[in-house]
Amino acid sequence: MTIVNKLWAKIIETFHRFLRRFYESAGIIPYVLGVTEVQTKRLENYGQFALHYHFVYVACDKKGKFYFTANWVRMIWQKILSKVLRNNGIDDEVSTAAAVDLQKVKKSAKNYISKYVSKGKEEVETLVHAGCSEQIPSQWWSMTKVMRDRIKAH
C-alpha cells in the first residue's frame, strides 16, 4: 500500500489520460471529475492506510447505452496500477478484485463529490501524527481539462 500511496498522483494522472483518450476516440466529450478519499481504518487495524478514488463521469449515451462496464474499469485500473508500479521498479502484482464499484449517482453528482471533497481533515491529521505524511497526496481532486474549462466558463 505504501508504494501505491506514494505513486497516487501518477496513478490518477494515468487513469485520467486513459479515460480522456477512450472518450475522445469514441467521439464523446470526456467530462470526468474525481476526489481521493483516505481510508484510515487500515491504519488503525494494520498500520497502513488505503487511498480510494471516487469519480463521476458521463456513463451512457442519450439512449441509455453504457460506454463501459465495471469489469472493464476494473481491468483498466489493474493495468494502470501494474504499469505505474513497473515503471517505478516494482514488479509486484496488485489485486484489484474489490477495488472497483460503479454505481449510478442516486440524487446529485455535486453532492456525491462534495461529500468526499469536504471529508478528510481529521484523516490527514491522523496520518501526519502516525508518520505517514510522505504518503499523503498533494492534491485531493482531479478533473479532465474539458471539465475544468466548462466549469470556468460558467
Side-chain angles (χ1 to χ4, degrees), residues 40-72:
T40 55
K41 290 282 186 212
R42 287 187 191 180
L43 182 64
E44 296 165 12
N45 296 332
Y46 306 107
Q48 62 180 356
F49 70 94
L51 297 173
H52 290 256
Y53 189 63
H54 297 267
F55 69 105
V56 292
Y57 59 96
V58 177
C60 57
D61 63 18
K62 291 178 182 176
K63 295 177 183 175
K65 182 178 181 281
F66 285 91
Y67 296 127
F68 44 77
T69 65
N71 283 336
W72 183 84

Side-chain angles (χ1 to χ4, degrees), residues 16 20 29-34 56-58 109-110 113 141-154:
H16 268 262
R20 179 183 49 80
I29 299 172
Y31 292 124
V32 180
L33 170 68
V56 292
Y57 59 96
V58 177
K110 178 186 84 171
I113 286 295
W141 61 271
S142 55
M143 67 179 75
T144 53
K145 183 180 182 317
V146 69
M147 183 78 174
R148 190 170 43 251
D149 292 345
R150 178 96 186 250
I151 291 169
K152 283 181 182 179
H154 288 85

Side-chain angles (χ1 to χ4, degrees), residues 3-17 36 51 53 77 80-81 84 88 134-142:
I3 191 68
V4 171
N5 294 344
K6 287 180 180 179
L7 294 170
W8 192 252
K10 189 65 176 168
I11 292 164
I12 297 302
E13 175 189 328
T14 305
F15 182 65
H16 268 262
R17 186 178 330 113
T36 297
L51 297 173
Y53 189 63
W77 187 251
I80 288 169
L81 280 175
V84 171
N88 286 275
E134 76 284 350
Q135 296 179 55
I136 300 171
S138 59
Q139 183 167 316
W140 296 95
W141 61 271
S142 55

